Amino acid sequence: MNLFRKPAIFLLIGITFFSCNKKDVAFSDPLITNRDTTVNPADDFFNYANNGWFKKNPIPKTDSNNGIMRIVMDTINEQIKSICENSAKDESAPKGSNKQKIGDFYASGMDTIAIEKAGLSPLDTEIKKINAIKDLSGLVSTIAHLQTVGADPAFTFYVSQDDKISTKYALFFGQGGLGMKQRDYYLDSDKRNVEIRAAYLAYLKTMMKFTGEDETVATKNAEIVLKLETELAKSSRKLEALRDPVKNYNKLTVDQFSTITPDIDWKKVLPVLGVAKADSVIVGQPEFFKALNTTIKKYTIEEWKTYLKSNLVNAYAPYLTAAIEKENFKFYYTIMNGVSAQKPRWKRVVAQTDESLGELIGQVYVSDYMPKGVKEKLLEIGNNIRDVFASHIKKLDWMSEPTKQKALYKLSKMVMKLGYPDKWKDMSQLAIDRKSYCGNVMKANVWDYNFMINKYGKPVDRNEWVMQPQTYNAYYNPSNNEIVIPACNIIVPGYEGRMPDDAILYGIIGGSFFGHEITHGFDDQGSQYDEKGNLNNWWTAEDLKKFKAKTQLIVNQYNKFTVLGKHVNGEATQGENIADLGGVIMGYEAFQKTAQFKNKDKISGLTPDQRYFLAYAYSWMINRRDESKINQIMTDVHAPEQFRVNGPLSNIPEFHKAFNVKKGDKMYQPDSLRVVIW
């Protein structure tokens, strides 16, 4: 998921908090058993390190991928399931308590009889609002209203920190409104995208029929929705263009915003969005809104009603009847990602309960499942990696001393939020019951929206987390100059109950974890923000020129990688690629300070260097279906996992030495093309 701006979210890998320096191990070492020794590590290290596991563990029918992420998530989901089931069994829990809300939400999701009986009725109020639209003013007002209840028609809107004034919240407007989310699905003419558009049209038609339309009307209306969304796609920026924080920062007064959309009076729209008064807004893509102004007049009110109902039903399809949920799954999971079977219902409901009530579940999770000392150990390792990064900055031969000092200052001010928040959000105003699953999801969405909108005009809360302790992920937020590492990243499959050696510890937590996130503060995007989180150039002109030349090298390198005939988008993925390269290097240098490295201890016949690089590859042990790989290349700012391993390692001389990579091998990178940034 790319939320770099507010904030960046980057997939990470689980860890553990113990280390040892054993010369032999009497257990099945994953670094040994996961390997496929028929693959030459000098040609394809990712598959050398992981394909042994892939061969023995095919992708389940219920998943688009399989690997370390799914193994860890299965563990976490079992824990959350226990929390949900125990809460649901206790019907005597006081009304309004965390246990009552968690239990009732989960129970409502498992009550398929009530869900079938309700049909589309949980959406009746919103559908009536859509049907009541009579004119352009009512259309725009309803589009705004639907943003507040969990739908996302026509554009995106949110409240977050002003990129140039990080101490203040701002109102952000951006492109959106696409059922297939990414513009290229509507516009690219290759065979797969033509087939996906046809499948999407069929999906829209089926969903129209669920709302009561006959075959003829449903066919016509599905075509209307696809045409309207295609209009929005044509004026939408490409994935790589959305990564430029300067070009996507356009501060306008409300009057100026209304000037570029003369048929949309934003002074009337903002109160519907919950904003009583605002002096300015930040418009990510002004050209999109100019085109939107044309599109709202190009299509009739009735056609817009059709689009809005489609958008609303699509947003809530997973929480409605089995037939509706099945069709939604068929398009978004089977066709788009190659998944042939749904997960068991309990897994789907657990995932949604966690998404809607994660702050409440997190409190139980921390109490019941998080070992003591997690924060302290994470901080210790994080500081070790930060020290290495500082040492690197000081030794850079391409950066001038003034810029080095500013980089070091930013690094010193980087905040590490580790484990879980010190203060939980107050969700006392969210009322949950067992009557309606879809209704509960909508109430949670409304609560989330109100929580966000109520920030506007208030001091920025720099202590807030946007991720739960049970969320298997992490992020760097440039506006706060902070990295956030949730508690659940303590799991390393294969090392349950054991203390992994330092190579594992630093290959995973050091390289793929702290090193990666810290480097995000200095990638092509993060490097544009200062130590206070403001979009502000702290570089000298000459240093910036050299930096961009180095980042272009990594763009060029990744542009050459292909998957199923499609090239990786080196421009769109460069931030993650820079962070991967910086992360694995920082983790390795921190590992060099350990006794295991200094003593050249071998474990399972592997040298410290070999174990470190195998551990790094283990952190990205993910095998995807072909459909998922293509979808990832089109929509994701992360490169496919194979290249998150092979790409950075091909640039590291110590890796070449550890696995005898030489000229002529596919992993060989000559000095002239080797990427060295941080």
Side-chain angles (χ1 to χ4, degrees), residues 259-275:
T259 298
I260 67 173
T261 58
D263 294 290
I264 303 176
D265 185 349
W266 294 101
K267 286 186 177 178
K268 293 182 179 179
V269 173
L270 285 173
V272 181
L273 291 169
V275 181

Side-chain angles (χ1 to χ4, degrees), residues 163-164 246 526-531 533-539:
D163 291 86
K164 293 188 176 181
V246 175
S527 62
Q528 299 183 61
Y529 292 79
D530 63 21
E531 77 283 352
N534 295 317
L535 193 56
N536 176 33
N537 181 26
W538 46 271
W539 296 72

Side-chain angles (χ1 to χ4, degrees), residues 17 33 73 84 96 99 257 267 291 346 360 368 382 384 397 408 458 502 559 570 573 596 638 649 654:
F17 301 108
T33 59
M73 283 306 305
C84 290
K99 178 174 279 192
F257 192 19
K267 286 186 177 178
W346 75 262
L360 306 185
D368 291 357
N384 288 343
D397 60 3
L408 288 167
K458 296 178 181 177
D502 285 325
N559 277 338
T573 60
Q596 179 185 354
H638 301 81
L649 294 188
E654 291 84 357

Side-chain angles (χ1 to χ4, degrees), residues 146-161:
L146 290 172
Q147 299 275 345
T148 72
V149 297
D152 56 354
F155 58 82
T156 59
F157 167 75
Y158 59 91
V159 175
S160 196
Q161 287 165 270

Side-chain angles (χ1 to χ4, degrees), residues 108-165:
S108 72
M110 296 301 291
D111 189 353
T112 56
I113 294 176
I115 292 170
E116 293 300 318
K117 184 178 179 180
L120 279 172
S121 63
L123 303 181
D124 281 351
T125 299
E126 304 309 323
I127 289 176
K128 287 178 181 178
K129 284 186 172 71
I130 294 171
N131 287 333
I133 299 172
K134 296 180 179 180
D135 52 27
L136 197 60
S137 176
L139 169 63
V140 174
S141 178
T142 304
I143 289 174
H145 165 73
L146 290 172
Q147 299 275 345
T148 72
V149 297
D152 56 354
F155 58 82
T156 59
F157 167 75
Y158 59 91
V159 175
S160 196
Q161 287 165 270
D162 189 318
D163 291 86
K164 293 188 176 181
I165 313 173

